[in-house]
Amino acid sequence: SYQGNKNNLLLNAGRQFVAEGVATERVDGVHLRGDLAGGFGAAAFVGAPVVVEPDFKGGNVVYGGRVTHSVPQYYTIGLSALRTDYNSSRIREESGIDLWFHPVKQVDVVGRSTYNSITSGWLEHAYMASFSPLQNLRFTADLSGISYKDYFYQMTTKAFSLTRGLLDPNEKVFALGGGVDYTPVENVNLSADYKNYKYDIAGPAGYYGGKATFTLPESFMAGLAVHRMDGENAKLRYMEYRLFASKKLGKVDLTADLFDVDYDSPINGIKQTYSASVAAAYAITDRIKLSADVDYSRNPDFNGVLSGMLRFTYAFDKQFGTEGRAKSEKK
């Protein structure tokens, strides 16, 4: 990773998650981003899509980019696109628009619309608005729509393949919801939310609940969330629980996250599903860090999935020329 001292120049090489507007993908490749004159910016990337299952067709090469225009205190609007080729034929081609709008201090609007050029359909619309009348109070509203045959047309894992029976390609969903966040006292945040889902095939469902978080800046954080999904379909009737915490102990950072779902009726013989993750990072020096994480999950479609990562990071500064200091990081 290389970061320049001008125009927000950033160059990343290696395995990475690229998110440029509606062009999102995990790639083994190169990603370049920077600001241009007149409020414009541009980004481009190219590489091989990361496929977690070797016998699954994920493509030979993926490439794309984004062009933006910004007035920093008021808006950013972007046009982006992505294409994946397999043996010189396109298997994924998406494009769309994304925006951030800040008309007054208390209001923010963000959203995106994505089009699938192969299926000739809109795969997703997702927009959210927030209003903060007070420093410790925020209201949100959001709406989204997804077409499964367009959204899941090309995946890099069999879990989301439309040909294996786990997802119905004819399904469409529209969701409309809102929430409120309130900080009654310092370090404590409370939130409540509700979202109404309208599935064409699975039927309607309501999702509602709340979350409480306690935070000591740069030292400790813990939270609990409880939600209920109440729908007509058996897969849309469950209780959802999440417990998470992080702690800093000198040079050590620890994180744990537990997510549990209890279905009203068994799905594929499974009534309770869960995922658990733990992570630890140790700062050997100010520039050298060693970190590791482990994740385990179990759900009605998979008996168990275990994954982990070990990472060594070395950061350094290097001065080029006499105009200023450029910062570079290697991982």
Side-chain angles (χ1 to χ4, degrees):
S1 178
Y2 171 79
Q3 182 178 340
N5 64 340
K6 291 182 179 180
N7 303 322
N8 293 315
L9 179 64
L10 180 67
L11 174 64
N12 289 327
R15 177 156 297 186
Q16 58 192 291
F17 180 74
V18 175
E20 291 294 347
V22 303
T24 59
E25 182 62 279
R26 187 173 297 277
V27 302
D28 289 331
V30 179
H31 177 208
L32 176 66
R33 180 196 300 151
D35 294 339
L36 305 176
F40 286 93
F45 62 91
V46 62
V50 177
V51 182
V52 297
E53 299 171 63
D55 62 339
F56 191 71
K57 182 178 72 173
N60 305 123
V61 61
V62 57
Y63 52 94
R66 180 176 179 234
V67 176
T68 62
H69 188 269
S70 301
V71 176
Q73 57 269 53
Y74 293 113
Y75 74 86
T76 296
I77 186 168
L79 298 175
S80 50
L82 170 150
R83 173 167 167 159
T84 302
D85 290 345
Y86 181 75
N87 293 339
S88 300
S89 298
R90 65 172 186 170
I91 60 173
R92 182 183 176 194
E93 188 172 271
E94 299 169 4
S95 59
I97 185 172
D98 62 275
L99 63 88
W100 168 75
F101 185 47
H102 185 62
V104 295
K105 183 178 179 181
Q106 297 86 357
V107 176
D108 282 289
V109 179
V110 296
R112 64 183 181 274
S113 291
T114 313
Y115 186 77
N116 189 327
S117 300
I118 298 179
T119 61
S120 299
W122 290 97
L123 61 91
E124 181 188 30
H125 300 284
Y127 293 86
M128 186 185 78
S130 65
F131 171 58
S132 304
L134 301 173
Q135 187 174 0
N136 64 340
L137 180 65
R138 184 172 73 116
F139 297 95
T140 60
D142 63 271
L143 63 87
S144 63
I146 292 177
S147 168
Y148 279 31
K149 71 175 181 179
D150 303 305
Y151 191 95
F152 296 105
Y153 177 79
Q154 173 62 33
M155 294 287 108
T156 53
T157 175
K158 295 175 183 177
F160 299 108
S161 172
L162 293 175
T163 62
R164 306 184 73 83
L166 300 181
L167 299 173
D168 191 327
N170 297 314
E171 183 68 280
K172 293 183 179 180
V173 58
F174 176 79
L176 179 65
V180 57
D181 289 271
Y182 178 57
T183 303
V185 296
E186 187 178 5
N187 303 327
V188 175
N189 179 262
L190 304 175
S191 65
D193 59 280
Y194 174 83
K195 185 172 289 189
N196 179 264
Y197 292 90
K198 183 180 179 181
Y199 291 89
D200 285 3
I201 298 174
Y207 178 82
Y208 51 89
K211 181 173 70 173
T213 306
F214 176 76
T215 305
L216 295 176
E218 301 181 3
S219 175
F220 175 76
M221 185 273 291
L224 171 68
V226 179
H227 285 84
R228 169 70 181 175
M229 176 67 93
D230 198 359
E232 293 181 353
N233 189 285
K235 287 189 175 182
L236 299 177
R237 296 186 62 84
Y238 56 80
M239 289 296 299
E240 178 185 283
Y241 308 93
R242 184 187 176 204
L243 183 63
F244 52 93
S246 63
K247 175 66 176 176
K248 184 174 181 62
L249 298 170
K251 295 184 177 182
V252 179
D253 291 299
L254 302 174
T255 303
D257 197 338
L258 176 63
F259 189 80
D260 177 81
V261 174
D262 294 334
Y263 289 95
D264 291 8
S265 302
I267 307 297
N268 294 337
I270 302 296
K271 197 171 186 297
Q272 183 183 43
T273 72
Y274 54 87
S275 66
S277 63
V278 293
Y282 178 69
I284 301 173
T285 69
D286 291 341
R287 298 178 179 273
I288 301 175
K289 179 180 288 188
L290 184 66
S291 59
D293 62 78
V294 178
D295 299 272
Y296 179 81
S297 62
R298 181 176 184 264
N299 59 58
D301 298 314
F302 296 91
N303 290 329
V305 178
L306 179 66
S307 62
M309 177 178 288
L310 181 66
R311 180 162 57 185
F312 175 83
T313 305
Y314 172 64
F316 64 92
D317 289 335
K318 179 67 177 177
Q319 184 173 342
F320 296 93
T322 59
E323 293 184 0
R325 188 175 182 86
K327 186 176 182 180
S328 175
E329 292 185 354
K330 280 187 177 180
K331 295 181 180 180

